[in-house]
Amino acid sequence: MAEKRFYITTPIYYVNGTPHVGSAYTTIAADVTARFERLRGREVFFLTGTDENATKVYEAAQEQGVAPEAYLEQLIPVWKEAWRDLHIGYDDFIRTTEPRHVEAVQEFFRRLQESGDIYLGQYEGWYCVACETFWRESDVTDGLCPNDWCRRPVRKMTEETYFFRLSKYQDAILRWIEAKPDRLLPDFRRNEVVAFIKQGLRDQSISRPGEEWGIPVPGAENQVVYVWFDALINYLTAAGWPNDAETFQNTWPADIHFMAKDIFVRFHCTLWPAMLMAAGLPLPCRLIGHGFWTAEGRKISKSLGNAIAPGDLARMLSDASGCEPDVAADAIRYYLLREVPFGQDADFSFDGLKLRFNTDLANDIGNLCNRTFSLIHRLFGGKVPALPGGDSPVRDALKRAAETMAQEMEEQRYSNALQALSDAIKEVNKHLNDRAPWNLHKEGKTDEAAGVIAESLESVRAFTILYSPFLPVAAERIWAQIGAAEPLSAQTWDRAAAWEGLPAGAELPQPTPVFPRIEAPKGQKAAGKAPGAGKDASKPNKKASVPAPSEESGKPTVSQTEPSAESKDESNFISIDDFAKVQLRTARVLAAERVEGTTKLLRLDVEMGEEDRTVLAGIAESYAPEELVGKTVIVVANLEPKKMRGVVSQGMLLAASGPDGPVLVAPEKAVDSGSEVR
RNA sequence: GGCGGAGUAGCUCAGUUGGUCAGAGCAUACGGUUCAUACCCGUAGUGUCGCGAGUUCGAGUCUCGCCUCCGCUACCA
């Protein structure tokens, strides 16, 4: 029986356009971890993929007048290419429209149906046609509408959807979390999960009737499986479930699920564990929810022009520095993981990227390499000097760096891991300064000089291995310059700080800086404008951007992780069209009363032209119910109904925020109720 | 409104169970060096450690109050 593989996942992404910096973050972190674990000798199974069963996919395809399948075929290569640009070495790329996944989802569904954890819910409720209001069973006692002013007979509504018995697993999930707190990282987000679950979980509707696109519910072909239920199962599908028992055995459970914070609490830390428990499958070992990236202080959004594709970013950096594009892509990997602790929100800035590039990569690593190589050429004819044994500050520094790095990587603290390497590099640079082998050589202490330089070179060998999960291509470039007999790919973690040296006498090539420093233009610091920050951003880099099927409409871009997470444009302006969506109308208050058990909430029954409505407003601390009756107010008429304290609010009152609470807004002269407000 | 987190050098932040804790990196200034990608090394700073009070021999470090920001959440629709 093979040893269990170290199983790493990213979420499956909702496909639309290209991944941007934010979307790439999760995948890069997962890739670094995969490479790190491989380096440590583990067999790794690294999965990413795409979420394709969302209704949005269908709609986007419709809009283009193509079949969803064709629409997806256009886009998938774009994503794969983006991952290739960022040196993402996934082992499997799952698409949720693949037969293997459809099969798995349906099988999963069937099993839970059999065990009783999926049931067909008569989505039972009462409905008042007059009020267009759904009422719960408990609201209706006598077959009449609970609204006092209505009291008309209500109709029984039953819509059949399937439910997952999520509520049943509430306590079990909490126990699972508390048993081993480091399963959910970071800790402050784990606390949110606990708080969320403790509020109480309700059974989850997991099917949708009448959808055109999605995985059909087995035995009920008129319904499709709720996209989240479908999406999460991808982690099982790719692990071979349910047919390939052997693969599944040595793959599942996942060792780390990576994701952004928006899909951490409800889906990955609540729904998913419950689903697995219901299916009798082991739960993942770790889930980690990282923060969001903004770009130059603004939310990443295509319509703001700052949703830059990582490939474009690499080209920009490459142009600024003169490094090869693949090295630039590595630098982006480095920057993203180095800049902030994993888990926290962060702001991407091109200046920040360049600063990191110069300080950490060019000045520290790059310069250490370069000065070491050129010393060997200058003093020893380009031949590798022998590494002395025995104690050495360099040796100690390497050992400490490797140990710290390993510890930090255990809990995905990439920033700290990289920090440890930076510190060690500085130590080696200092050691070189202190021992000044160029002087030793001048003084005739050739052996001593050789020893110091050999140590320095040995550190480069070690650092190259240690950095390689973060900088896979750059590490190759450096490796090619140190005179190693074996390829970098043959190296292991243990050998990095083993002080094993390089073959003495080996001939080194002429050194080539891997990270050419970015020189600021004369007279000014901080070159280049931030990407997408300026006005020019409205003209995206045409040549570089991939032909996005959906045109350059101002549609919201993909959020950092999907599926189905919303992402709205956050510019300060909305278009007139946006505003036109809001229907404001006048209404006359017929009756008002406090909502029982609340301090702020008032229930208003208003007449809006022909129609009567119930509207809740949080103004009870500023207005007595009596004083409102007969007043004319302005109502947002097309706000989606919202239920609070068992009452459905069918709109919202406009009120100014006064110093002592809300102040209702009213027409300046009398107008009919139901009048449009523009 | 509730719960949680955060407010520390120009910037980003570290600061364990209260007593060299007033720090690091970047940025700045000066000096050293020259093997090196104007790089590296060293030195120097500035800070009322959000505000106010309290406990203590002694508090960024504990208690109470207040202010500001952020996250989650709610009777914000």
Side-chain angles (χ1 to χ4, degrees):
Chain A
M1 183 78 214
E3 192 191 341
K4 184 193 171 300
R5 301 190 286 181
F6 195 86
Y7 184 18
I8 297 173
T9 74
T10 74
I12 45 176
Y13 299 99
Y14 166 61
V15 184
N16 170 18
T18 61
H20 54 63
V21 171
S23 359
Y25 186 47
T26 324
T27 312
I28 291 171
D31 182 68
V32 166
T33 305
R35 289 176 188 273
F36 173 74
E37 294 297 342
R38 286 193 197 104
L39 193 57
R40 303 238 287 170
R42 279 178 153 139
E43 195 186 334
V44 171
F45 182 58
F46 170 25
L47 173 72
T48 188
T50 47
D51 174 42
E52 306 187 352
N53 293 320
T55 307
K56 278 187 284 188
V57 168
Y58 182 76
E59 286 169 354
Q62 290 263 297
E63 226 167 84
Q64 279 186 42
V66 299
E69 292 84 354
Y71 171 78
L72 289 163
E73 285 312 319
Q74 278 180 299
L75 278 172
I76 298 305
V78 173
W79 280 68
K80 289 188 171 173
E81 187 186 340
W83 296 148
R84 201 164 47 243
D85 284 349
L86 286 170
H87 313 138
I88 305 298
Y90 53 78
D91 299 298
D92 193 0
F93 188 104
I94 188 168
R95 301 180 48 183
T96 56
T97 48
E98 290 173 59
R100 59 171 172 162
H101 181 64
V102 174
E103 203 178 310
V105 169
Q106 293 185 329
E107 177 60 20
F108 194 94
F109 204 100
R110 266 192 294 269
R111 290 198 191 181
L112 266 57
Q113 262 183 312
E114 274 166 32
S115 71
D117 278 336
I118 288 179
Y119 59 93
L120 187 56
Q122 303 296 323
Y123 185 81
E124 290 202 16
W126 297 97
Y127 190 70
C128 172
V129 179
C131 301
E132 292 192 287
T133 303
F134 285 99
W135 297 103
R136 283 185 303 191
E137 198 66 47
S138 55
D139 295 328
V140 178
T141 50
D142 49 10
L144 299 178
C145 177
N147 283 335
D148 300 333
W149 69 93
C150 178
R151 306 301 294 164
R152 281 178 263 230
V154 288
R155 199 201 298 169
K156 187 111 181 174
M157 287 285 291
T158 52
E159 194 168 73
E160 284 195 337
T161 76
Y162 289 87
F163 284 84
F164 169 57
R165 237 178 262 284
L166 180 59
S167 58
K168 175 177 163 187
Y169 294 97
Q170 177 168 331
D171 295 336
I173 301 171
L174 284 174
R175 280 198 301 274
W176 171 70
I177 293 170
E178 277 153 17
K180 210 166 168 292
D182 67 351
R183 281 199 249 254
L184 269 49
L185 294 178
D187 56 353
F188 59 89
R189 256 189 262 289
R190 172 176 67 242
N191 296 337
E192 290 177 13
V193 174
V194 171
F196 173 74
I197 295 173
K198 281 186 173 164
Q199 277 184 190
L201 300 178
R202 279 184 301 187
D203 289 354
Q204 171 76 47
S205 170
I206 53 161
S207 70
R208 295 274 184 77
E211 294 283 340
E212 299 286 330
W213 182 249
I215 298 180
V217 170
E221 310 297 319
N222 63 326
Q223 301 214 23
V224 298
V225 176
Y226 172 49
V227 70
W228 263 108
F229 199 81
D230 147 6
L232 288 163
I233 292 170
N234 92 84
Y235 302 133
L236 292 176
T237 306
W241 195 85
N243 296 323
D244 187 347
E246 196 183 327
T247 301
F248 188 68
Q249 265 305 321
N250 76 350
T251 305
W252 191 257
D255 290 274
I256 311 181
H257 287 313
F258 285 90
M259 77 216 70
K261 63 183 182 180
D262 57 339
I263 57 174
F264 188 69
V265 176
R266 282 155 204 262
F267 301 109
H268 282 84
C269 298
T270 304
L271 180 58
W272 181 226
M275 285 168 65
L276 291 168
M277 286 176 184
L281 296 168
L283 271 55
C285 304
R286 169 162 298 163
L287 299 99
I288 182 161
H290 67 249
F292 280 161
W293 283 86
T294 51
E296 312 293 346
R298 312 187 71 178
K299 187 160 181 164
I300 292 178
S301 151
K302 199 181 280 179
S303 62
L304 291 179
N306 64 358
I308 291 205
D312 292 353
L313 208 49
R315 269 178 285 273
M316 288 165 68
L317 183 62
S318 166
D319 287 346
S321 134
C323 67
E324 63 172 297
D326 276 330
V327 169
D330 276 1
I332 292 166
R333 293 164 60 102
Y334 179 91
Y335 168 80
L336 291 176
L337 294 181
R338 174 65 242 264
E339 196 67 1
V340 291
F342 200 66
Q344 294 193 359
D345 288 349
D347 182 53
F348 175 90
S349 83
F350 199 62
D351 285 342
L353 172 63
K354 289 190 293 190
L355 188 63
R356 278 290 171 206
F357 185 91
N358 271 357
T359 56
D360 293 10
L361 301 179
N363 291 353
D364 287 349
I365 305 176
N367 189 49
L368 175 64
C369 293
N370 203 49
R371 67 196 303 206
T372 302
F373 300 153
S374 61
L375 276 170
I376 292 173
H377 274 97
R378 183 177 295 255
L379 270 37
F380 299 101
K383 289 194 166 51
V384 172
L387 181 67
D391 290 341
S392 149
V394 174
R395 189 174 186 173
D396 291 345
L398 289 178
K399 194 155 174 265
R400 267 182 285 118
E403 279 168 6
T404 307
M405 177 177 175
Q407 265 171 29
E408 300 292 355
M409 293 296 284
E410 271 317 304
E411 293 204 349
Q412 290 74 51
R413 289 186 294 262
Y414 307 104
S415 184
N416 289 356
L418 290 170
Q419 169 92 58
L421 296 189
S422 270
D423 290 347
I425 297 241
K426 284 179 198 302
E427 286 189 64
V428 177
N429 265 326
K430 180 167 157 47
H431 182 253
L432 210 48
N433 263 48
D434 293 347
R435 299 298 307 279
W438 47 94
N439 288 338
L440 293 173
H441 189 265
K442 228 181 285 178
E443 295 160 13
K445 299 173 181 167
T446 315
D447 288 351
E448 224 174 301
V452 173
I453 294 170
E455 287 179 357
S456 179
L457 181 65
E458 171 63 2
S459 81
V460 171
R461 186 191 67 82
F463 286 130
T464 304
I465 296 171
L466 297 177
Y467 272 114
S468 64
F470 293 87
L471 304 165
V473 171
E476 288 287 358
R477 300 293 182 269
I478 297 172
W479 193 260
Q481 302 186 49
I482 64 172
E486 300 166 341
L488 177 58
S489 58
Q491 303 306 304
T492 62
W493 172 265
D494 292 339
R495 291 175 60 186
W499 206 248
E500 64 183 42
L502 287 154
E507 191 101 24
L508 295 193
Q510 278 304 312
T512 315
V514 173
F515 304 109
R517 189 167 214 283
I518 301 166
E519 303 296 347
K522 281 212 166 58
Q524 49 174 273
K525 228 82 215 164
K529 261 266 159 260
K535 315 224 158 53
D536 306 345
S538 57
K539 254 211 212 136
N541 186 346
K542 265 281 159 14
K543 71 163 199 273
S545 64
V546 193
S550 69
E551 263 313 317
E552 66 288 317
S553 67
K555 279 213 303 283
T557 183
V558 200
S559 103
Q560 311 212 359
T561 54
E562 289 293 301
S564 82
E566 288 301 309
S567 89
K568 302 202 175 88
D569 293 343
E570 284 285 310
S571 99
N572 290 322
F573 295 105
I574 61 170
S575 72
I576 186 74
D577 294 335
D578 289 334
F579 176 69
K581 291 176 191 162
V582 181
Q583 290 173 21
L584 300 173
R585 297 175 69 185
T586 60
R588 202 161 56 82
V589 179
L590 301 174
E593 64 179 42
R594 301 187 85 98
V595 176
E596 212 161 318
T598 71
T599 58
K600 297 206 305 196
L601 212 54
L602 234 43
R603 176 172 119 181
L604 306 177
D605 300 321
V606 301
E607 169 203 86
M608 198 169 75
E610 303 290 282
E611 190 185 347
D612 287 353
R613 290 206 188 192
T614 299
V615 174
L616 296 179
I619 55 172
E621 285 168 330
S622 303
Y623 289 89
E626 311 84 67
E627 64 177 306
L628 291 172
V629 176
K631 281 197 174 170
T632 297
V633 294
I634 296 174
V635 173
V636 180
N638 61 337
L639 197 61
E640 73 179 338
K642 163 92 174 179
K643 185 165 59 184
M644 285 177 288
R645 307 297 294 192
V647 182
V648 176
S649 177
Q650 303 163 301
M652 165 177 162
L653 298 195
L654 294 194
S657 299
D660 304 314
V663 178
L664 286 176
V665 173
E668 191 261 333
K669 284 182 195 162
V671 291
D672 291 340
S673 87
S675 301
E676 198 179 326
V677 178
R678 293 269 66 175

Coordinates of all heavy atoms in Angstrom, one line a residue, chain A residues 2 31 45 116 179 193 260 307 320 381 396 408 432 468 505 515 597 627 641:
Chain A
A2 N 0.6 2.1 -0.9 CA 1.5 3.3 -1.1 C 1.2 4.2 0.1 O 0.1 4.2 0.7 CB 1.2 4.0 -2.4
D31 N 0.5 26.2 -4.6 CA 1.6 25.7 -5.4 C 2.9 25.7 -4.6 O 3.7 24.7 -4.6 CB 1.8 26.5 -6.7 CG 2.9 25.9 -7.5 OD1 2.7 24.8 -8.1 OD2 4.0 26.6 -7.7
F45 N -0.3 15.5 -4.2 CA -1.4 15.6 -5.2 C -2.0 17.0 -5.1 O -2.6 17.3 -4.1 CB -2.4 14.5 -5.0 CG -3.5 14.5 -6.0 CD1 -3.2 14.4 -7.4 CD2 -4.8 14.6 -5.6 CE1 -4.2 14.4 -8.3 CE2 -5.9 14.6 -6.6 CZ -5.6 14.5 -7.9
G116 N -30.9 9.2 4.5 CA -31.9 10.1 5.1 C -31.4 11.5 5.4 O -32.2 12.3 5.9
A179 N -11.8 20.1 18.8 CA -10.8 19.0 19.1 C -9.4 19.3 18.7 O -8.4 18.9 19.3 CB -11.3 17.7 18.4
V193 N -16.1 31.2 12.5 CA -16.8 29.9 12.2 C -17.6 29.4 13.3 O -18.8 29.1 13.2 CB -15.8 28.8 11.7 CG1 -16.5 27.5 11.5 CG2 -15.1 29.3 10.4
A260 N -10.0 31.7 -0.2 CA -10.1 33.1 0.4 C -11.2 33.1 1.4 O -12.0 32.2 1.5 CB -10.4 34.1 -0.8
A307 N -7.8 45.1 -12.6 CA -7.8 43.7 -12.5 C -6.8 43.1 -13.5 O -7.2 42.5 -14.5 CB -9.2 43.1 -12.8
A320 N 10.5 46.6 -16.5 CA 11.2 47.5 -15.6 C 12.6 47.1 -15.2 O 13.5 47.9 -15.0 CB 10.3 47.7 -14.4
G381 N 40.1 31.8 -10.6 CA 40.0 31.4 -12.0 C 38.7 30.7 -12.3 O 38.6 29.9 -13.2
D396 N 25.9 27.8 10.6 CA 24.9 28.0 11.7 C 23.7 28.7 11.1 O 22.5 28.4 11.4 CB 25.4 28.8 12.9 CG 26.5 27.9 13.6 OD1 26.5 26.7 13.4 OD2 27.2 28.5 14.4
E408 N 7.7 27.5 10.1 CA 6.7 28.5 9.7 C 5.9 27.9 8.6 O 4.7 28.1 8.5 CB 7.4 29.8 9.2 CG 8.3 30.5 10.2 CD 7.4 31.1 11.3 OE1 6.2 31.0 11.3 OE2 8.0 31.6 12.3
L432 N 30.7 37.8 4.9 CA 31.6 38.1 3.8 C 32.4 39.4 3.9 O 33.6 39.5 3.7 CB 30.8 38.1 2.5 CG 31.4 37.6 1.2 CD1 32.2 36.3 1.3 CD2 30.3 37.5 0.1
S468 N 13.4 27.6 -3.6 CA 12.9 27.0 -4.9 C 11.4 26.8 -4.9 O 10.7 27.0 -5.9 CB 13.6 25.7 -5.3 OG 13.4 24.7 -4.3
G505 N 36.7 22.5 -7.7 CA 37.4 22.5 -9.0 C 36.4 22.6 -10.2 O 36.8 22.9 -11.3
F515 N 18.3 38.6 -11.1 CA 17.4 39.7 -10.7 C 18.1 41.1 -10.9 O 18.6 41.7 -10.0 CB 17.0 39.6 -9.2 CG 16.4 38.3 -8.8 CD1 17.2 37.4 -8.0 CD2 15.2 37.9 -9.2 CE1 16.6 36.2 -7.6 CE2 14.6 36.7 -8.8 CZ 15.3 35.9 -8.0
G597 N -40.6 42.6 20.9 CA -39.3 42.1 21.2 C -38.2 42.8 20.5 O -37.0 42.3 20.5
E627 N -47.6 58.8 15.8 CA -47.3 60.0 15.0 C -47.0 59.7 13.5 O -47.0 60.7 12.8 CB -46.1 60.8 15.7 CG -44.8 60.0 15.6 CD -43.7 60.9 16.2 OE1 -43.5 62.0 15.7 OE2 -42.9 60.3 17.0
P641 N -37.6 41.6 -0.8 CA -38.3 41.4 0.5 C -37.3 40.7 1.5 O -36.5 39.9 1.1 CB -39.4 40.4 0.2 CG -39.7 40.5 -1.3 CD -38.3 40.8 -1.9

